[in-house]
Amino acid sequence: MPDEVVSPPDHLPCALTAQDLGGRWQLAGSVSEAWRFHRWHAELAQPVGAFARTAWIDACVPGSVHDDLLRAGLIRDPNFGLASLDAEWVSARQWVYRRTFRIELAPAARLHLCFEGVDYSAEVYLNGECLGTLAGTHTPARFNVSWLDRASEHLLVVVLQEPPAEAGQLGRTSRTKTLKPRAGYWWDFGARLVHVGLWRGVSLQADAGAAVLDVNPRVVLSDDLQRARVEVDLEHDGDLALPVTAELFHPDGRRERVTGSASSLAFSLEGPDLWWPAALGAQPLYMVRAWVTGSTPVKRRFGVRQVALVHNQASHQRGARPYTLAINHQPLYVRGFNMVPSDLIPGRAGVAERERTLVRYALAAHANLLRYNGVGPLASQAVLDACDECGLLVWQEMPLTSSGTDNVPPRSPAFLENLERDLPPLVRALRHHPSVVLLSAGNELTDAQRRPVTDADPTVARMAALIRLHDGTRPFLPSSPSGPEYDLSMPIAQERPHDLHDVHGPWHYRGVQDSYLPYTHNRALAHSEFGCQAASRESTLRRYLTDGPVWPMDDRNPQVVHHGEWWLMAHRIEEVFGPVEDLGHYVRLTQAAQADVLRHALGWNRARRGECSLALVWQLNEPWPNAHNTSVIDYDLKPKFAYYRCREANAPVALHLGLPAPVGDGSLCACPQVLADTAGSGRLTLSLYSVTGMTLLTLSRPVSWPAPGQPVSLPLSDTPGLLRAQLHGEDGTLLARTEQWIARAGAAPFAPIARLTQTTLSVEPSLTGVLIRNVGTYVAPWISVEAPAGVGEHLSDNGFALLPGEELGLRVSLDPPGGPANLTVQAINTAPVTLAWGPV
């Protein structure tokens, strides 16, 4: 059950103590303080005269101004073409929300008007009287309105100020003034769309003289994990002499209740139900609820678990920080994704479901942790609830981030004043969620010499102190990367590998050598951000690039530049594959390149599991439809090939080919290795095939793991070859497989693959999905299986090759399930095949 303010339980007085003031409001824009001149804050009606009467539009609260304008037809959807440029004016206005209401609550000693947060600041007027100000995206405010006449209708007006003038991606962090997330000020994964809105709940709260405002179930777990004390920390106001009642709901439905002073409420648990990450155990959730008689109860779900960062041998020897995450004393190899906002307009309908879908995709890709980067807002309650339920861990950074020109944490009095007000509510929103296991001050913060910040930085130190004060139960890192080197670069990897502790990068595709070799030489203890770009699905591109032709996909095309100007890669693709003149081919080749690089990176990091503790791909998702981006799932929630290769590399049992790069001179040395979460044994088969399916090399040998790989010399001919590895268990069960195109180094080494002779695919439905056959005489590389727009895909694989005469049964499930849809199946050298999909 999600965290929320709840109705009183049956044993409390049945009088209603909370009235939701969300829903339908009205909205109008104001240049500076025109609203004050027209008295919008105090009067509903405007007389006919020389000044035009205001054209109010319907607004939704909680919501976003952009979303309201979009529904009213006053702006084009910023996702399409160049339309976001025509919406930048929105943040240059003040915005006035208004509604009327009558009090529906029974008489009480006190009545408060409560706001859960505004983006970013506002003045509040009630019946023309200024109650005060709001500020902070997650910072609540309460106004005592006990004097309100219960027989009258009241006018509530909230005037949003222009948002603060923060920098986009290229600016100065040292000049940051607020903790407003900066993703919307322009970042490489989105347009400039500075969010404004009354984006959190509004309500009336009645009480009998005191109220519980927040509940924090602080769990103290014994070292042997056999006993726990749940201390119910309360934030409350009013008559502190009134007794507080707290109830504890066990995962099995049992209840306990205690009543006493606010400072003495606690529960003892013998043999508590422990909360575990996914794949290590169950995720039982407790819930605590607290109230003062006559007030609205507040409840919080929580889990019982212990979390710490501990040393592995390498971090200890290097004198580095500990980077191995341990849950309930169980060390983890952390694998997962970096996350950015799910939409630049958080008020859009369906955003919460988008977020839950992304959580499901991450879990299906064997991720155990998501890092919510400091460029965006906190992970939403929908995300955190979903992660609590499925066991996906969360690393949350505070909304403070690098800026390119400088990344130095701000120290101005204005920022520090905002920090004191706005950081505690951020921490309070996170602290009861068992999935949240790591906190940081922000993303890519450094000193003036671009060295990652340490705890000695005064701003970081103050943030750490505030986090300890309001939580103190989780590990804290000053930033990511946490240094001492910032980047993974070849010179550092080769000359000072022991200085690679927690590093970022690289991110760009740079061909068949430079895209791979940094990972091959990497010795980092934690690799918290690295990526590679690719184009979005062709259907996604054609849906959103509507202000002109989609092709060419380079800087000659204004739309392509607008939708991802940092990630153009046509020149690199042509260096590897030769000239490309077809959009469909181009999309598949970019996605094949991204998939190959990310699998390579994940494999080399995981192969160093005793040294490396963490590997996180940048990034799972994107908040805006990009032409090119480092996301592995595009804006329409369509997984790219890279998603499947990440899933392959992170699987409980995976194969790592141990190639330095996919090209070599004359021969190439592979060192195939089994990467598994638990020990085992089986048989490894390695095969090399020509484009016509001829076997060029094969070997099979028994293997046990964990163990290093054994080198194998692979001959390279003038035509690229398909290298495959398969692992079977002792009973013959296929445990893992992987494949890689390899070639002789030279100009456009994989051009022959991009221009292969045509072959033919046959596609048939099966009980669990589809059966795909290559019935031609040439290999079919990078086969894609795609469902239409609006239909979610869950496939057992995508972006694979089939040799001549080979077939593969693919498991398929679609969202929504059971409905008809056309699946399209195509390879680089085949015509598309369409299969009408429906219940078999």
Side-chain angles (χ1 to χ4, degrees):
M1 58 186 76
D3 298 325
E4 57 187 15
V5 173
V6 297
S7 300
D10 296 339
H11 53 270
L12 290 182
C14 59
L16 188 65
T17 56
Q19 179 180 341
D20 184 9
L21 294 183
R24 184 175 176 178
W25 288 51
Q26 290 185 312
L27 179 71
S30 172
V31 177
S32 300
E33 293 194 8
W35 59 269
R36 195 182 301 276
F37 176 81
H38 292 295
R39 295 187 57 76
W40 297 348
H41 60 299
E43 298 173 0
L44 273 173
Q46 290 176 276
V48 175
F51 296 100
R53 286 171 290 178
T54 303
W56 295 89
I57 65 171
D58 286 341
C60 185
V61 174
S64 304
V65 169
H66 289 91
D67 192 47
D68 296 328
L69 295 174
L70 186 57
R71 284 185 285 103
L74 297 178
I75 59 172
R76 286 177 61 202
D77 191 327
N79 286 345
F80 291 88
L82 304 174
S84 73
L85 298 173
D86 295 329
E88 291 185 7
W89 63 271
V90 174
S91 59
R93 298 286 190 275
Q94 296 185 16
W95 291 95
V96 180
Y97 284 86
R98 75 176 188 183
R99 67 157 293 166
T100 58
F101 69 92
R102 290 182 179 273
I103 300 173
E104 299 172 359
L105 306 175
R110 301 191 311 173
L111 188 66
H112 285 88
L113 177 63
C114 302
F115 294 86
E116 296 176 17
V118 63
D119 200 3
Y120 173 76
S121 61
E123 296 178 19
V124 180
Y125 291 85
L126 187 57
N127 299 329
E129 177 184 345
C130 182
L131 296 183
T133 60
L134 308 171
T137 53
H138 293 82
T139 303
R142 285 161 51 89
F143 301 101
N144 192 319
V145 292
S146 304
W147 45 268
L148 276 181
D149 181 1
R150 293 178 175 271
S152 302
E153 184 175 70
H154 305 286
L155 174 63
L156 175 59
V157 177
V158 179
V159 182
L160 268 67
Q161 308 301 316
E162 297 94 337
E166 301 289 12
Q169 189 162 7
L170 298 179
R172 296 182 185 273
T173 301
S174 59
R175 297 180 183 175
T176 301
K177 298 177 288 298
T178 70
L179 287 177
K180 177 175 169 59
R182 284 172 45 207
Y185 286 86
W186 189 87
W187 223 260
D188 60 78
F189 50 70
R192 181 175 174 85
L193 209 66
V194 181
H195 179 253
V196 287
L198 193 49
W199 80 316
R200 291 291 183 256
V202 184
S203 64
L204 283 174
Q205 300 284 333
D207 62 59
V212 173
L213 305 182
D214 194 15
V215 176
N216 177 33
R218 183 185 294 270
V219 178
V220 181
L221 184 59
S222 65
D223 192 59
D224 63 3
L225 310 179
Q226 297 304 305
R227 296 170 304 283
R229 176 177 170 85
V230 182
E231 299 173 351
V232 185
D233 293 344
L234 300 176
E235 181 186 354
H236 61 293
D237 76 346
D239 185 353
L240 302 185
L242 292 176
V244 181
T245 300
E247 275 191 323
L248 178 68
F249 293 74
H250 291 253
D252 62 7
R254 291 181 294 119
R255 297 187 187 186
E256 297 181 56
R257 188 192 302 182
V258 295
T259 300
S261 68
S263 61
S264 63
L265 299 176
F267 297 92
S268 295
L269 301 176
E270 292 293 330
D273 294 320
L274 297 180
W275 187 96
W276 290 93
L280 289 186
Q283 294 79 44
L285 294 170
Y286 292 79
M287 192 266 282
V288 67
R289 177 166 61 182
W291 67 92
V292 176
T293 300
S295 70
T296 302
V298 177
K299 69 177 182 180
R300 296 287 181 260
R301 287 195 315 180
F302 66 97
V304 177
R305 57 101 180 96
Q306 188 264 1
V307 57
L309 283 176
V310 299
H311 281 290
N312 62 16
Q313 186 176 358
S315 64
H316 181 75
Q317 289 175 344
R318 295 189 201 177
R321 294 174 177 273
Y323 288 107
T324 302
L325 194 65
I327 308 296
N328 300 331
H329 305 312
Q330 177 68 50
L332 301 178
Y333 177 73
V334 170
R335 50 200 151 197
F337 300 94
N338 286 270
M339 304 294 290
V340 296
S342 62
D343 203 295
L344 288 182
I345 302 178
R348 283 186 194 267
V351 164
E353 182 52 38
R354 283 177 63 87
E355 293 171 330
R356 287 189 287 267
T357 298
L358 289 168
V359 168
R360 291 194 292 270
Y361 269 125
L363 195 65
H366 309 293
N368 57 20
L369 184 140
L370 302 176
R371 172 178 172 247
Y372 278 82
N373 188 283
V375 68
L378 295 191
S380 72
Q381 290 301 311
V383 164
L384 296 175
D385 287 336
C387 290
D388 289 346
E389 292 159 6
C390 72
L392 195 53
L393 305 177
V394 172
W395 174 358
Q396 179 65 65
E397 293 181 339
M398 297 300 107
L400 185 63
T401 187
S402 59
S403 301
T405 306
D406 82 45
N407 306 324
V408 178
R411 299 174 188 174
S412 69
F415 174 82
L416 295 176
E417 181 179 349
N418 288 328
L419 181 71
E420 297 293 326
R421 179 195 63 209
D422 293 340
L423 189 63
L426 294 172
V427 178
R428 288 197 291 268
L430 299 166
R431 61 189 178 184
H432 58 280
H433 288 282
S435 56
V436 180
V437 295
L438 184 58
L439 300 177
S440 297
N443 171 62
E444 297 181 340
L445 305 176
T446 72
D447 63 16
Q449 286 72 47
R450 205 170 176 266
R451 294 185 297 253
V453 293
T454 68
D455 304 277
D457 179 274
T459 299
V460 171
R462 183 55 189 156
M463 295 177 78
L466 287 170
I467 289 171
R468 285 194 301 272
L469 176 65
H470 293 278
D471 176 28
T473 65
R474 292 166 173 83
F476 173 84
L477 289 175
S479 184
S480 177
S482 51
E485 290 294 329
Y486 184 102
D487 293 307
L488 171 59
S489 68
M490 281 296 291
I492 300 299
Q494 291 175 323
E495 298 165 15
R496 291 185 285 116
H498 293 286
D499 284 342
L500 297 176
H501 294 182
D502 171 23
V503 297
H504 281 191
W507 297 271
H508 283 86
Y509 184 67
R510 294 188 172 96
V512 290
Q513 294 277 7
D514 293 345
S515 300
Y516 294 82
L517 292 179
Y519 302 108
T520 307
H521 293 276
N522 185 17
R523 297 290 306 281
L525 303 172
H527 202 176
S528 49
E529 188 179 312
F530 58 91
C532 183
Q533 78 270 41
S536 291
R537 286 268 186 97
E538 182 178 355
S539 59
T540 303
L541 295 172
R542 294 194 183 280
R543 180 181 181 186
Y544 291 105
L545 302 189
T546 54
D547 288 349
V550 178
W551 191 260
M553 290 284 287
D554 58 28
D555 61 5
R556 293 171 292 173
N557 189 329
Q559 288 191 102
V560 170
V561 172
H562 184 57
H563 287 255
E565 65 181 270
W566 278 26
W567 304 109
L568 305 182
M569 62 187 304
H571 62 300
R572 294 294 192 183
I573 292 298
E574 295 198 344
E575 289 173 5
V576 175
F577 296 101
V580 183
E581 297 177 357
D582 171 77
L583 179 62
H585 271 63
Y586 177 79
V587 167
R588 286 177 179 82
L589 293 175
T590 66
Q591 292 200 9
Q594 179 194 38
D596 204 45
V597 169
L598 292 183
R599 177 183 53 191
H600 177 87
L602 288 169
W604 277 101
N605 276 323
R606 190 175 177 186
R608 301 183 299 109
R609 183 169 178 169
E611 176 178 65
C612 180
S613 298
L614 177 149
L616 302 176
V617 169
W618 178 266
Q619 65 216 67
L620 181 68
N621 66 309
E622 60 185 22
W624 186 67
N626 286 273
H628 301 90
N629 192 242
T630 48
S631 65
V632 301
I633 297 178
D634 74 22
Y635 178 79
D636 270 359
L637 300 180
K638 297 296 189 180
K640 301 175 184 177
F641 291 165
Y643 170 80
Y644 297 93
R645 301 289 72 80
C646 291
R647 188 169 75 184
E648 172 195 317
N650 285 332
V653 181
L655 284 170
H656 171 52
L657 289 169
L659 294 168
V663 297
D665 296 318
S667 66
L668 193 59
C669 182
C671 198
Q673 182 180 355
V674 179
L675 307 177
D677 294 342
T678 57
S681 61
R683 178 163 289 274
L684 174 67
T685 303
L686 189 70
S687 303
L688 180 62
Y689 301 97
S690 74
V691 294
T692 59
M694 180 185 299
T695 301
L696 304 176
L697 176 147
T698 187
L699 62 87
S700 181
R701 63 189 180 209
V703 291
S704 60
W705 57 88
Q710 309 248 341
V712 178
S713 180
L714 305 171
L716 297 174
S717 63
D718 292 336
T719 303
L722 180 64
L723 179 64
R724 278 223 183 121
Q726 295 189 98
L727 177 68
H728 290 85
E730 298 289 0
D731 61 355
T733 303
L734 180 65
L735 300 179
R737 71 189 295 272
T738 192
E739 61 186 24
Q740 167 98 51
W741 286 97
I742 60 174
R744 189 187 296 271
F750 290 103
I753 304 301
R755 286 160 183 74
L756 268 181
T757 301
Q758 290 283 297
T759 192
T760 303
L761 296 179
S762 167
V763 184
E764 300 174 2
S766 69
L767 289 176
T768 58
V770 296
L771 182 65
I772 305 173
R773 293 187 181 92
N774 181 355
V775 298
T777 57
Y778 277 81
V779 67
W782 301 307
I783 294 172
S784 64
V785 180
E786 300 183 5
V791 178
E793 304 163 0
H794 305 277
L795 311 175
S796 57
D797 200 1
N798 214 352
F800 52 89
L802 285 179
L803 298 169
E806 193 173 32
E807 67 181 28
L808 179 68
L810 204 66
R811 295 189 304 276
V812 178
S813 64
L814 303 180
D815 288 332
N822 288 331
L823 289 180
T824 302
V825 182
Q826 187 174 13
I828 283 287
N829 58 336
T830 73
V833 180
T834 301
L835 176 69
W837 174 264
V840 175

